Amino acid sequence: MGRGGGGGSMISMQKSVISTAIVILLCFYNAYCFYLPGVAPEDFHSGDHLNVKVNKLTSIKTQLPYSYYSLPFCHPESIVDSRENLGEVLRGDRIENSRYLFKMREPELCHVVCRMTLDADATKEFKEKIEDEYRVNMILDNLPLVVPIQRLEQGAPPVYQLGYFLGLKGLYAGIKEEKAFINNHLSFTVKYHKDVQTDSARIVGFEVMPFSVKHEYEGKWGTSTRLTTCDPHAKKTVSSSNAPQEVEDKQEIIFTYDVDFQESDVKWASRWDTYLLMSDDQIHWFSIVNSLMIVLFLSGMVAMIMLRTLYRDISKYNELETQEEAQEETGWKLVHADVFRPPENSDLLCVYVGTGVQFFGMVLVTVMFAVLGFLSPSNRGGLMTAMLFLWAFMGLFAGYASTRLFKMFKGTEWKKIALRTSFLFPATVFVIFFVLNALIWGQKSSGAVPFGTMFALVFLWFGISVPLVFVGSYAGFKKPAIEDPVKTNKIPRQIPEQAWYMNPIFSILIGGILPFGAIFIELFFILTSIWLNQFYYIFGFLLIVFIILIVTCAEITIVLCYFQLCSEDYLWWWRSYLTSGSSALYLFLYATFYFFTKLDISKPVSGMLYFGYMLIASFAFFLLTGTIGFYACFWFTRLIYSSVKID
């Protein structure tokens, strides 16, 4: 019996060890799988077909993307669209197949894609796109095509430009007039990491050097025609010394490409590191240190205020040193019977606070997911898709927050507040978005949102967000009302005349400077990634900056709220919201400055797009920062008035 019992315990112990080992292995397996979510590594053997996909044409001058085949490029027998996610469609991505076909680890030289003769319409389209500095984007194994640009510093790694320029304008062979030249020869480099054991390889880089070449050949064009400008048999390659291919009516253009394969030490898991190489780490650290100085300064002021009010005042003002100090410190206590009087337009304040909570939840969860690597650039459109879905699901908290505040203001019609909360921001954005989308449709850009996607956005709003707002509102209204720490008089107290620096407009505008100052350097990089078509993947810095923004908004609002109460002005509800929310005004002004100093946008439609989207972003930032400041001041006032015994 004893041996049997020992054997049973041994077996159970072995089972537990095995199960633990399986769990650990699964954890490691999952950690491996989710290094770059949405992307699984693909192994290629020698001779395997590699299909290059084409994406949108982009320009930082117009900000209007176009599908690749909107221009008369060489196209396959049938054009097949890849399935794009919601974020990709909103970004204007149109991923399609192409006639650029490689074989793994089999270099090719001067492969002819197609030959065409331009007509007047094609010539006009190509010239317009070259004038607007459009870039062609391609994808191989989910890696975007990049052009390596060497830096001036010796030994420094190259900078990568997304996509290659369609063409260029310039003078050639003594011609006085500028001509348009098209990049019709592409020299591709596919970098791969080889597995020594299986001899398979994974693609870790996709680069190109574009050339404009006026190809020449002898005799009539046929399937066996050999080019004299580049010849795989004679090992003759294209170089920058070749005569360029001009874009003119009735001109013949021959599109060609080379492809070379280079073995790389870079592993598949690290293949995005070179694309995301940040050369400005020092600037980001400087930004964070600068922001931390602001936070420390404000924290010192808040600590001083808290010590003076909660240490001295709570001890019933028994140890006041001077009469002047007594007058200063008793100011905020004199308005105790009015400080929790509901403000004017309290319904609108509740709606703004609820919407701000919705944005706060969306931004916080999105940044957290991004820091963990779930929203990597390899998952195109993932960031925007995640933000849209999170915004819809955060409607639950929006409804709860707005109705809780509404009930505290003695409100009864919670359905009205729920309806306004679910419609205020989305309806405003939808109107602006619809107008901008109509402008994009007019330009025949791929950035125009199709009807199906518009329906999906409306479903997110009405099918998910609105019901969740009502559910949250119902839950918030069913809870007991938040009780004020002190009683409110029926007759409001007269507010004494305020000093010039306590003027509401002045103090509100001053309050927005420090929160904006904490983020404006990071804001530059965010705007650059959006409008100059660059990668943004420094979410670790962004999370730190977001935390600093929260602390700065809270502290500056508490400081100015304290000064306001000390001067016997008890109308703090709206001012606390507007104080930190005014940083959105500085954001929009900075966006205007960025437009005129960093961007080269000349088309009116493109300018309207920029300012339309930045207006939406500024409004969202206003709701976010205003809500943070409001809740900080709400907590502060309740704390100080509940801690002091009112006679």
Side-chain angles (χ1 to χ4, degrees):
M1 289 291 288
R3 287 181 65 186
S9 63
M10 184 66 73
I11 290 167
S12 63
M13 185 177 175
Q14 286 175 344
K15 284 182 178 178
S16 66
V17 169
I18 290 167
S19 61
T20 306
I22 290 170
V23 168
I24 292 169
L25 285 171
L26 284 172
C27 287
F28 278 114
Y29 177 75
N30 286 337
Y32 168 75
C33 284
F34 288 100
Y35 181 81
L36 287 176
V39 183
E42 190 171 353
D43 294 320
F44 297 96
H45 296 275
S46 294
D48 284 355
H49 288 282
L50 303 177
N51 299 318
V52 176
K53 294 182 179 180
V54 290
N55 199 351
K56 60 188 176 183
L57 308 173
T58 55
S59 167
I60 60 175
K61 286 186 73 174
T62 67
Q63 301 295 333
L64 293 167
Y66 288 89
S67 66
Y68 180 83
Y69 293 113
S70 64
L71 290 179
F73 284 115
C74 313
H75 55 80
E77 292 180 3
S78 61
I79 298 172
V80 181
D81 288 333
S82 298
R83 291 181 64 184
E84 292 102 3
N85 60 38
L86 184 59
E88 285 177 308
V89 174
L90 292 175
R91 280 161 31 106
D93 286 346
R94 298 295 181 269
I95 302 169
E96 297 155 318
N97 60 330
S98 75
R99 291 186 63 173
Y100 292 93
L101 305 172
F102 309 153
K103 287 187 177 179
M104 187 65 178
R105 286 192 270 177
E106 292 184 10
E108 283 188 89
L109 194 64
C110 202
H111 182 95
V112 177
V113 183
C114 74
R115 167 183 166 272
M116 66 170 64
T117 302
L118 297 180
D119 57 20
D121 290 338
T123 302
K124 182 186 175 186
E125 288 177 8
F126 272 120
K127 281 186 173 180
E128 285 178 352
K129 295 295 186 290
I130 291 170
E131 177 75 33
D132 289 331
E133 299 178 6
Y134 269 86
R135 297 180 193 172
V136 180
N137 294 281
M138 296 182 176
I139 298 167
L140 177 64
D141 191 36
N142 207 48
L143 273 181
L145 180 67
V146 291
V147 179
I149 301 169
Q150 292 298 327
R151 300 188 196 183
L152 297 175
E153 301 91 355
Q154 259 190 337
V159 176
Y160 292 102
Q161 170 195 287
L162 272 175
Y164 68 90
F165 283 110
L166 173 63
L168 63 150
K169 291 194 72 176
L171 302 172
Y172 179 73
I175 302 172
K176 292 183 179 179
E177 186 184 352
E178 267 197 338
K179 297 284 185 179
F181 302 98
I182 189 170
N183 286 321
N184 59 323
H185 179 85
L186 303 176
S187 183
F188 294 105
T189 302
V190 178
K191 295 183 177 181
Y192 64 92
H193 182 77
K194 187 178 175 183
D195 189 326
V196 181
Q197 294 179 339
T198 62
D199 198 44
S200 63
R202 292 176 177 177
I203 295 170
V204 296
F206 186 35
E207 301 175 2
V208 71
M209 287 299 294
F211 295 93
S212 181
V213 183
K214 186 174 177 57
H215 283 300
E216 296 173 356
Y217 55 91
E218 295 176 354
K220 289 188 177 181
W221 181 262
T223 52
S224 58
T225 302
R226 287 168 61 173
L227 300 174
T228 57
T229 41
C230 68
D231 189 353
H233 302 283
K235 302 292 182 184
K236 185 177 181 181
T237 59
V238 167
S239 68
S240 54
S241 60
N242 289 94
Q245 176 63 60
E246 189 179 336
V247 180
E248 282 298 338
D249 189 18
K250 303 293 188 291
Q251 277 275 0
E252 179 188 66
I253 299 179
I254 299 172
F255 288 90
T256 57
Y257 70 84
D258 303 331
V259 59
D260 187 30
F261 291 87
Q262 290 181 7
E263 189 169 355
S264 172
D265 294 330
V266 176
K267 293 185 178 180
W268 184 89
S270 306
R271 65 179 186 165
W272 279 88
D273 292 357
T274 50
Y275 291 78
L276 307 174
L277 181 68
M278 284 303 304
S279 58
D280 302 306
D281 281 352
Q282 289 184 343
I283 297 175
H284 288 279
W285 283 118
F286 171 76
S287 165
I288 287 169
V289 170
N290 169 57
S291 303
L292 284 173
M293 291 300 105
I294 295 172
V295 168
L296 286 173
F297 169 70
L298 287 173
S299 299
M301 290 192 69
V302 170
M304 183 181 70
I305 290 168
M306 300 297 278
L307 282 172
R308 294 183 72 179
T309 56
L310 299 183
Y311 178 72
R312 293 181 179 174
D313 291 352
I314 291 168
S315 61
K316 299 181 182 180
Y317 300 85
N318 290 332
E319 298 178 7
L320 295 174
E321 294 172 4
T322 64
Q323 188 60 35
E324 184 183 344
E325 190 177 352
Q327 187 178 353
E328 177 199 340
E329 300 232 29
T330 52
W332 65 268
K333 190 184 176 187
L334 291 174
V335 294
H336 68 85
D338 296 273
V339 75
F340 292 106
R341 188 181 302 281
E344 293 183 7
N345 298 316
S346 59
D347 291 9
L348 186 61
L349 180 64
C350 296
V351 172
Y352 271 34
V353 169
T355 310
V357 168
Q358 189 172 9
F359 268 104
F360 181 82
M362 180 200 76
V363 172
L364 183 64
V365 177
T366 302
V367 174
M368 291 297 292
F369 275 11
V371 168
L372 294 171
F374 286 94
L375 301 174
S376 67
S378 63
N379 186 12
R380 276 180 308 278
L383 183 67
M384 192 174 292
T385 306
M387 289 177 72
L388 286 169
F389 275 96
L390 282 170
W391 178 84
F393 285 107
M394 288 296 166
L396 186 71
F397 300 99
Y400 182 84
S402 59
T403 314
R404 287 284 285 156
L405 195 61
F406 179 67
K407 192 171 184 180
M408 193 188 78
F409 291 148
K410 306 296 187 291
T412 55
E413 299 178 9
W414 66 271
K415 291 178 184 177
K416 182 180 73 173
I417 292 298
L419 192 67
R420 290 177 68 180
T421 304
S422 57
F423 275 81
L424 172 79
F425 182 80
T428 307
V429 170
F430 191 81
V431 169
I432 299 172
F433 182 73
F434 190 81
V435 172
L436 296 179
N437 199 53
L439 293 173
I440 300 171
W441 267 114
Q443 298 294 313
K444 298 178 181 178
S445 166
S446 67
V449 177
F451 176 77
T453 308
M454 194 73 80
F455 178 79
L457 292 173
V458 172
F459 174 76
L460 269 178
W461 179 12
F462 284 96
I464 300 175
S465 181
V466 173
L468 285 176
V469 169
F470 272 85
V471 170
S473 297
Y474 178 78
F477 197 75
K478 283 296 178 185
K479 292 202 75 173
I482 302 169
E483 292 186 4
D484 297 333
V486 288
K487 291 182 179 179
T488 302
N489 286 344
K490 290 183 179 179
I491 302 172
R493 177 190 175 89
Q494 187 175 359
I495 299 171
E497 189 176 345
Q498 301 293 304
W500 66 270
Y501 53 83
M502 290 307 297
N503 179 277
I505 296 174
F506 180 78
S507 64
I508 286 168
L509 292 176
I510 289 294
I513 293 174
L514 290 179
F516 172 75
I519 60 129
F520 88 97
I521 296 178
E522 203 62 35
L523 181 64
F524 169 81
F525 291 100
I526 294 170
L527 291 177
T528 301
S529 70
I530 295 170
W531 300 108
L532 295 182
N533 199 26
Q534 295 180 12
F535 286 120
Y536 184 89
Y537 197 56
I538 40 175
F539 293 108
F541 283 114
L542 188 62
L543 178 61
I544 297 170
V545 170
F546 182 59
I547 293 168
I548 290 171
L549 175 68
I550 294 169
V551 176
T552 309
C553 287
E555 291 185 341
I556 189 65
T557 310
I558 288 171
V559 169
L560 293 179
C561 180
Y562 173 73
F563 291 150
Q564 180 187 350
L565 293 174
C566 282
S567 60
E568 299 177 32
D569 183 355
Y570 54 83
L571 302 176
W572 63 272
W573 296 97
W574 271 108
R575 200 189 290 194
S576 66
Y577 197 99
L578 297 173
T579 295
S580 53
S582 66
S583 55
L585 173 64
Y586 296 102
L587 187 149
F588 189 77
L589 291 174
Y590 180 77
T592 306
F593 169 78
Y594 185 89
F595 178 84
F596 289 108
T597 57
K598 299 295 180 183
L599 300 181
D600 187 22
I601 293 176
S602 53
K603 288 191 175 182
V605 171
S606 304
M608 291 174 71
L609 282 178
Y610 177 86
F611 284 106
Y613 286 131
M614 290 314 301
L615 187 64
I616 292 172
S618 300
F619 185 31
F621 193 71
F622 165 73
L623 294 168
L624 173 68
T625 52
T627 300
I628 294 168
F630 171 82
Y631 273 116
C633 196
F634 182 66
W635 167 81
F636 174 73
T637 49
R638 290 183 63 82
L639 182 68
I640 61 173
Y641 284 101
S642 62
S643 302
V644 176
K645 184 180 178 182
I646 305 298
D647 296 329

